[in-house]
């Protein structure tokens, strides 16, 4: 079988994550033989690395304790409120935090009881429009089609030959074509939890999720949510106005289909009172 991006039968030694593993994804993975090693490496270096290095995503990963692909902590700057304190880069985990060796003065102030808190800033989401996010969504959209169409396989070349996805494919892989617009909004907070007793008895966190919205045969969109921020992109054309119209007609309802799952806010995390999104 050929690669779903370059359509060549190159080396296929690696799996492909629809959403980067460094954003906590271990579930939505395409098996070997779907995305070739050359395209996999290209996306890792040219699309996902710039995405993960954005201040928002660094900050997001640090404050939610999401480790890197190699299970490493993500460092970011925090403020130690003291005249002799200031900003310092730290690594935070469930047990505490680690300072750089050159920040011994802050460590001393903590040991002396002069500093007993730190301030972790919250960096807002990346402003629209953004080329890196657009190309990442294009890549994720094509891979999501493959993931939902075939699951773990077998994959067929019929999927590769679908010309209606060529503009999306070329934009994601080569940056060819006009900017591909997308819709972005926050639909729940990072503190909100979800309940589905068919999955587990208590509330759980959702790092990411995705689903498709088909308004008609010409207007099909991927809705991808990362830590509560929903991104929507059309598959076959660089257009988003029809989705915005659908959103208005449906009173802002998310395309994500939940079934029995419902959201509980931080103040209701006993799982007894549902919220709608």
């Amino acid at each position: 079988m050929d690669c779903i991006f370059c359509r060549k039968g190159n080396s296929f030694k690696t799996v492909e994550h629809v959403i980067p593993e460094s954003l906590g994804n271990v579930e939505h993975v395409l098996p070997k033989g779907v995305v070739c090693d050359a395209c996999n490496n290209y996306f890792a270096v040219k699309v996902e690395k710039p995405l993960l290095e954005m201040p928002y995503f660094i900050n997001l990963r640090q404050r939610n304790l999401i480790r890197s692909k190699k299970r490493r902590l993500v460092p970011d700057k925090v403020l130690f409120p003291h005249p002799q304190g200031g900003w310092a880069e730290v690594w935070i985990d469930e047990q505490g935090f680690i300072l750089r060796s050159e920040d011994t003065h802050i460590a001393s102030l903590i040991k002396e009881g002069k500093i007993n808190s730190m301030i972790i800033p919250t960096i807002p989401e990346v402003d629209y429009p953004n080329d890196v996010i657009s190309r990442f969504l294009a890549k994720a959209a094509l891979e999501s089609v493959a993931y939902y169409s075939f699951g773990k396989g077998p994959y067929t070349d019929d999927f590769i030959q679908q010309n209606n996805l060529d503009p999306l494919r070329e934009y994601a892989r080569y940056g060819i074509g006009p900017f591909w617009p997308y819709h972005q909004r926050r639909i729940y907070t990072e503190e909100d939890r979800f309940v589905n007793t068919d999955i587990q008895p208590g509330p759980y966190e959702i790092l990411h999720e995705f689903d498709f919205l088909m308004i008609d045969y010409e207007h099909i969109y991927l809705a991808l949510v990362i830590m509560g921020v929903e991104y929507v992109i059309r598959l076959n054309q660089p257009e988003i106005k029809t989705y915005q119209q659908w959103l208005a007609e449906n009173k802002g309802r998310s395309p994500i289909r939940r079934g029995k799952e419902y959201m509980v806010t931080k103040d209701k995390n006993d799982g007894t009172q549902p919220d709608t999104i």
Side-chain angles (χ1 to χ4, degrees):
M1 176 178 170
D2 293 334
C3 171
I4 64 173
F5 286 103
C6 66
R7 290 175 166 170
K8 297 177 182 178
N10 294 315
S11 172
F12 293 92
K13 296 180 181 179
T14 56
V15 299
E16 167 68 3
H17 290 74
V18 177
I19 300 165
E21 192 173 358
S22 292
L23 285 175
N25 175 33
V26 295
E27 177 183 358
H28 300 115
V29 181
L30 296 173
K32 297 177 183 179
V34 182
V35 178
C36 73
D37 296 339
C39 289
N40 193 328
N41 183 68
Y42 174 86
F43 286 123
V45 174
K46 297 296 185 180
V47 177
E48 294 178 350
K49 186 173 184 288
L51 181 86
L52 295 170
E53 289 180 346
M54 290 180 177
Y56 165 70
F57 283 102
I58 292 175
N59 185 246
L60 174 78
R61 294 163 65 201
Q62 185 209 45
R63 65 177 184 262
N64 288 283
L65 308 182
I66 302 174
R67 293 175 179 261
S68 71
K69 180 179 180 179
K70 296 182 179 179
R71 305 302 301 158
R72 294 173 180 169
L73 298 172
V74 180
D76 201 5
K77 289 186 176 181
V78 303
L79 177 63
F80 291 93
H82 188 275
Q84 299 174 29
W87 291 92
E89 195 168 58
V90 303
W91 289 259
I92 301 175
D93 65 8
E94 296 83 353
Q95 306 300 319
F97 63 90
I98 302 171
L99 285 163
R100 288 188 179 275
S101 57
E102 57 263 34
D103 292 320
T104 54
H105 66 291
I106 293 179
S108 297
L109 291 169
I110 294 172
K111 290 179 180 179
E112 295 168 6
K114 296 179 180 179
I115 292 180
N116 55 18
S117 65
M118 64 180 177
I119 300 172
I120 303 175
T122 299
I123 297 177
E125 298 93 60
V126 181
D127 289 336
Y128 177 89
N130 183 275
D131 290 338
V132 172
I133 290 180
S134 176
R135 288 191 65 194
F136 163 69
L137 292 174
K139 170 252 184 197
L142 189 65
E143 292 181 350
S144 298
V145 172
Y147 182 86
Y148 269 127
S149 296
F150 300 100
K152 296 183 179 180
Y155 291 75
T156 68
D157 286 333
D158 291 341
F159 172 70
I160 307 303
Q161 302 304 325
Q162 291 184 26
N163 295 330
N164 63 324
L165 295 176
D166 280 355
L168 183 74
R169 178 183 288 111
E170 293 177 355
Y171 179 72
R173 179 61 176 87
Y174 305 107
I176 296 175
F179 174 81
W180 211 285
Y182 58 93
H183 187 271
Q184 174 182 321
R185 62 172 178 161
R186 179 170 289 281
I187 60 173
Y188 51 85
T189 73
E190 294 171 21
E191 290 76 28
D192 289 329
R193 297 296 181 263
F194 292 80
V195 171
N196 184 341
T197 54
D198 290 344
I199 298 176
Q200 67 179 50
Y204 50 84
E205 179 182 36
I206 294 180
L207 296 180
H208 48 75
E209 55 186 336
F210 59 88
D211 203 345
F212 289 97
L213 170 69
M214 187 174 76
I215 298 177
D216 54 45
Y217 287 111
E218 290 296 322
H219 296 84
I220 303 175
Y221 299 83
L222 169 73
L224 185 153
V225 184
I226 300 175
M227 293 300 294
V229 178
E230 178 190 79
Y231 305 91
V232 176
I233 190 169
R234 186 174 171 182
L235 269 65
N236 62 329
Q237 285 188 25
E239 178 272 342
I240 202 66
K241 290 184 178 179
T242 304
Y243 169 72
Q244 292 172 324
Q245 181 180 350
W246 177 91
L247 200 61
E249 292 172 352
N250 286 271
K251 300 180 180 179
R253 176 171 61 88
S254 173
I256 300 291
R257 293 167 291 183
R258 300 204 172 275
K260 294 182 179 180
E261 183 179 73
Y262 60 90
M263 184 181 76
V264 290
T265 66
K266 186 177 181 180
D267 294 332
K268 305 174 187 176
N269 61 8
D270 60 353
T272 60
Q273 301 184 52
D275 290 318
T276 58
I277 57 174

